[in-house]
Amino acid sequence: MSFFIILFLIIILLIFSADRIRAIYLSWFINGPIALPVIGNGMLALNKTPEENFQLVLYLDKHYGKLYRAWAGSQLMIVMSHPKYTETILSSSKHITKSCEYNMLSHWMKEGLLLSKGKKWLQRRKILTPAFHFSILEEYVDCFDTQSSILVNKLKNYEPNEKIEFHPLITLCALDVICETTMGTSLNAQSGDSAYATAVKDIANSMVTRFFNVLLRLDVIWGLSPQHRMQRNILKVLHQFTENVIKERRSKLDGLVNNNSVESINDVGIKQKKAFIDILLNSTIDGKPLSDIDIREEVDTFMFEGHDTTTSCLLFSLYNIAKKPEVQQKCFDEIRDIFGNDKTRPTEMKDLNDLHYLELVIKETLRLYPSVPLIGRHITEEVELYDGTIIPKDADVIINLFSMGRDSTLYSNPDDFQPERFELDVEKLSHFSYTPFSAGPRNCIGQKFAVLEMKSVIAKILRNFEIRLADDTLNAPLILSAELVLIAKNPLNFHIQPRNYG
C-alpha cells in the first residue's frame, strides 16, 4: 500500500512543478468553493447560460466575500471586488498581462493593444497615446454629430406609440463612428446592409459561444468543431476589409508624400482630418514603420473595443434616463441651455465639454452597469495583498467591477440611480473604488473618446425626443448577462415623442 502511495506522490511531482505545488498550497488559505481534481469548479458552470453564469459569479461574491478562489479546470482564479485588493493589482506596472480568458479573442485581434504584453504592449501604448490627444479628439466630434443625426433621422420614422428596440440601432451608430474614426472610411452600417457589420456581429457571437462552452474552450476540440470553421470564414471577411483599407490608405499617403503635395493631403483629409489608421501609418518602432499586420492588429482591436462597450453604456444610460423622468428633465434643461431651441445645430467640442450633468449620468450608469463587468490579469510573479494574502504566480486575478459598483460600504444606497453622487461624494471615494475604464498603467486608452461620443449621441436624441420605457421593459425585471460586454438579455424597448420646445 505504501508503495502505491509513494508512486502516486512521484507522479504528482512529475506532473506539477514547484510553482504549481506552491499555488495549490497557497490557495488553501483563500476562501472559496470546494473544487474537484482536474475539472476544478467546472461543474458549477456546466450547462448554464451566460446570464446564469453571471448570476453565479454574483452569488459567489456574496457567499464568499470580497476575495475568494475558484478553479477553472486546472487554472487558479482569484476573484476580488474591493478597492483595497484591486489597487495592488491595477496600480502595478508588473501585473499588466491579461488573464487566460482573453486568449479566445486573439483569433481576431492577434497581439493588438488589448492582448499584447511586455515590451510590445509598452511600445504600442506609447505610439497610440497621442491618437487620443485633445486636438485629435476634437476632429472626431463632427463624425459623432453626423452619425448621431443619422440615428435621429431613423428614429423619426417611428410613430410616437410604436415600440422601439434601441439596441440594434445604437449598435450600428457606434459601429459607423468607430469605423470612420479608426479607418477613415464610411461603413454606412446605419444606411443599409454591410458585410463587415454583419461579420462584426457574427464574430462576437462566435467568441461568446466558445467562451461559455466548457468543451469548446479546449483548443483540440475547438479546432475540430464546425464553429471553428465558421469563425475562420467570418475572420476572412473582417481581415480582408481591414487589409484593403490599410493598403488603400498607405498607397494614398505614400503618393502624397512622394509628390510633396500639402494641398492634396488636405483634399483627402489625411492632414486635415486624421483617422486613427493614419497615426499608425506614420508611426515607427525602433526606427522601423509598422507592418500591415501590426496596423491590422490595432485597427481590429479598436473596432472591437470601440463599439460594443460604447453600445452597452449608451443603451443603459438611455434606459436610466427614460426610467427617471426627473433625470431626463435635468439632462434636457442642460442641453437646452447649451443649444437653445435649435435641434439641428452641429455639435462642437465645447458643447460636449459643457454637458456636465450628462457626464454624471454616464458615470453613474457605468457604476451600476459597467460595460466590462469583469476584468482579468495573469499574475507573472507572486504578489502579497494588503492583508497578507499571497496570490501565487500563474494565477488569474478576476476583478468584479459589477459587484464593487454596488457595494454598500463604498456607496450609499448603491442600487439607486443618483448621478449627483459623483459630484457630492467624489472626495469620499478612493481612486480604485470606481474603475469602469480600469485603472493604472493599463487603463482604457479610449475613455475620453468614448465619453465624448456617448454625450454626442444622447444629447442629439434628447434634443429631438422625449423618451420613455415601453411597458414590457418598465414592468419587467432587468436580466443581465456578462458576455463580451454587459448586456440586457430581455429587449430594452422604448417609446419616443417628438420634443416640444413650446
Side-chain angles (χ1 to χ4, degrees):
M1 186 68 178
S2 59
F3 168 79
F4 289 106
I5 294 175
I6 293 172
L7 180 62
F8 174 76
L9 291 174
I10 291 173
I11 293 172
I12 292 295
L13 289 172
L14 290 173
I15 294 175
F16 295 115
S17 65
D19 286 340
R20 182 71 172 166
I21 293 171
R22 179 161 174 78
I24 295 172
Y25 167 73
L26 290 173
S27 72
W28 290 345
F29 297 95
I30 303 174
N31 197 19
I34 297 173
L36 297 174
V38 182
I39 64 171
N41 299 112
M43 294 298 293
L44 292 175
L46 193 62
N47 294 325
K48 283 186 169 61
T49 63
E51 55 268 30
E52 288 172 335
N53 273 316
F54 184 53
Q55 291 303 316
L56 173 63
V57 171
L58 302 184
Y59 164 78
L60 292 174
D61 181 89
K62 290 182 179 179
H63 190 74
Y64 291 105
K66 303 305 178 185
L67 183 77
Y68 67 90
R69 55 110 183 102
W71 290 88
S74 60
Q75 177 62 50
L76 176 61
M77 301 168 62
I78 307 297
V79 185
M80 53 179 63
S81 58
H82 196 279
K84 286 187 177 180
Y85 293 121
T86 62
E87 181 174 1
T88 303
I89 305 301
L90 295 180
S91 65
S92 172
S93 59
K94 296 178 181 178
H95 310 303
I96 60 172
T97 302
K98 293 300 178 81
S99 60
C100 299
E101 289 76 18
Y102 288 78
N103 292 338
M104 279 176 276
L105 307 177
S106 64
H107 297 288
W108 183 12
M109 290 164 277
K110 303 300 180 182
E111 292 185 340
L113 193 65
L114 177 65
L115 303 180
S116 58
K117 55 189 176 182
K119 183 180 179 181
K120 182 171 184 176
W121 172 80
L122 190 62
Q123 290 174 329
R124 295 284 179 91
R125 178 82 183 206
K126 185 176 180 180
I127 66 172
L128 292 174
T129 297
F132 297 94
H133 186 271
F134 174 85
S135 60
I136 300 294
L137 292 178
E138 190 168 18
E139 295 181 358
Y140 296 152
V141 172
D142 179 59
C143 172
F144 300 159
D145 184 70
T146 299
Q147 297 302 334
S148 300
S149 295
I150 294 173
L151 173 62
V152 163
N153 287 334
K154 291 183 72 174
L155 290 173
K156 288 178 180 178
N157 293 324
Y158 291 90
E159 297 296 327
N161 292 323
E162 190 172 352
K163 188 165 62 175
I164 311 170
E165 186 181 358
F166 270 14
H167 183 265
L169 300 172
I170 297 293
T171 298
L172 294 179
C173 178
L175 194 55
D176 272 338
V177 167
I178 198 64
C179 189
E180 185 173 333
T181 55
T182 300
M183 291 194 260
T185 188
S186 297
L187 189 60
N188 297 321
Q190 294 192 87
S191 303
D193 292 334
S194 164
Y196 184 84
T198 301
V200 169
K201 179 181 178 180
D202 290 343
I203 195 66
N205 292 335
S206 173
M207 290 188 290
V208 168
T209 297
R210 186 183 183 196
F211 191 85
F212 289 101
N213 188 302
V214 175
L215 294 178
L216 290 180
R217 287 172 69 116
L218 300 173
D219 289 339
V220 174
I221 295 178
W222 171 249
L224 299 173
S225 68
Q227 291 91 338
H228 177 243
R229 291 191 292 274
M230 186 185 303
Q231 187 183 88
R232 282 190 302 179
N233 292 330
I234 299 168
L235 288 170
K236 285 180 182 178
V237 175
L238 293 170
H239 288 158
Q240 188 64 58
F241 182 90
T242 306
E243 288 165 5
N244 288 341
V245 172
I246 292 169
K247 288 177 182 177
E248 180 182 347
R249 205 78 176 177
R250 189 188 289 280
S251 175
K252 191 174 291 186
L253 181 62
D254 289 345
L256 296 172
V257 171
N258 292 336
N259 293 331
N260 196 27
S261 173
V262 175
E263 289 184 3
S264 297
I265 290 175
N266 286 338
D267 287 343
V268 298
I270 289 179
K271 181 178 179 183
Q272 194 175 44
K273 190 175 181 182
K274 185 173 289 186
F276 174 73
I277 194 173
D278 298 318
I279 295 171
L280 293 168
L281 286 165
N282 284 289
S283 297
T284 60
I285 293 180
D286 297 329
K288 298 179 180 179
L290 299 180
S291 69
D292 286 0
I293 295 298
D294 293 330
I295 295 173
R296 194 189 77 186
E297 288 178 345
E298 300 305 341
V299 169
D300 287 345
T301 294
F302 278 85
M303 288 302 300
F304 165 72
E305 289 196 278
H307 86 281
D308 263 2
T309 52
T310 304
T311 297
S312 174
C313 185
L314 275 171
L315 193 61
F316 286 118
S317 294
L318 291 167
Y319 170 84
N320 289 322
I321 289 169
K323 193 175 182 179
K324 293 269 190 175
E326 67 276 15
V327 169
Q328 182 166 182
Q329 187 61 49
K330 286 184 179 180
C331 286
F332 176 66
D333 289 343
E334 179 179 67
I335 291 167
R336 195 173 187 180
D337 284 344
I338 294 170
F339 293 96
N341 294 344
D342 191 343
K343 296 182 182 181
T344 60
R345 175 174 75 77
T347 305
E348 299 176 358
M349 175 66 93
K350 184 180 183 303
D351 301 326
L352 298 181
N353 289 334
D354 288 343
L355 290 170
H356 174 66
Y357 183 74
L358 182 54
E359 184 161 338
L360 298 182
V361 169
I362 292 171
K363 285 183 176 180
E364 178 72 342
T365 296
L366 286 170
R367 178 186 70 83
L368 285 168
Y369 306 101
S371 298
V372 183
L374 306 167
I375 60 176
R377 296 286 186 272
H378 186 72
I379 303 304
T380 55
E381 62 179 62
E382 206 168 271
V383 57
E384 183 173 347
L385 302 178
Y386 84 99
D387 61 356
T389 301
I390 298 176
I391 299 178
K393 178 183 176 182
D394 291 330
D396 276 352
V397 167
I398 307 300
I399 298 174
N400 186 342
L401 299 180
F402 185 91
S403 291
M404 195 156 64
R406 296 167 181 251
D407 189 339
S408 60
T409 66
L410 301 174
Y411 301 96
S412 58
N413 302 312
D415 293 328
D416 292 345
F417 184 78
Q418 300 174 359
E420 293 80 4
R421 78 170 74 242
F422 282 96
E423 197 168 44
L424 302 174
D425 299 336
V426 66
E427 294 182 359
K428 300 177 183 178
L429 297 174
S430 76
H431 179 58
F432 290 89
S433 299
Y434 177 79
T435 55
F437 294 103
S438 191
R442 197 139 196 178
N443 67 342
C444 175
I445 195 173
Q447 56 184 289
K448 291 181 180 179
F449 175 102
V451 171
L452 289 171
E453 179 188 349
M454 289 187 284
K455 282 184 175 183
S456 181
V457 174
I458 296 171
K460 183 72 77 169
I461 291 174
L462 295 183
R463 283 166 72 183
N464 286 273
F465 304 105
E466 181 180 347
I467 63 174
R468 60 185 176 86
L469 296 177
D471 288 343
D472 60 352
T473 297
L474 180 63
N475 299 323
L478 192 58
I479 302 173
L480 299 173
S481 177
E483 297 186 0
L484 295 181
V485 296
L486 188 71
I487 65 169
K489 290 303 292 186
N490 45 329
L492 299 185
N493 296 317
F494 293 76
H495 296 302
I496 59 173
Q497 181 74 34
R499 182 70 70 175
N500 185 357
Y501 279 77

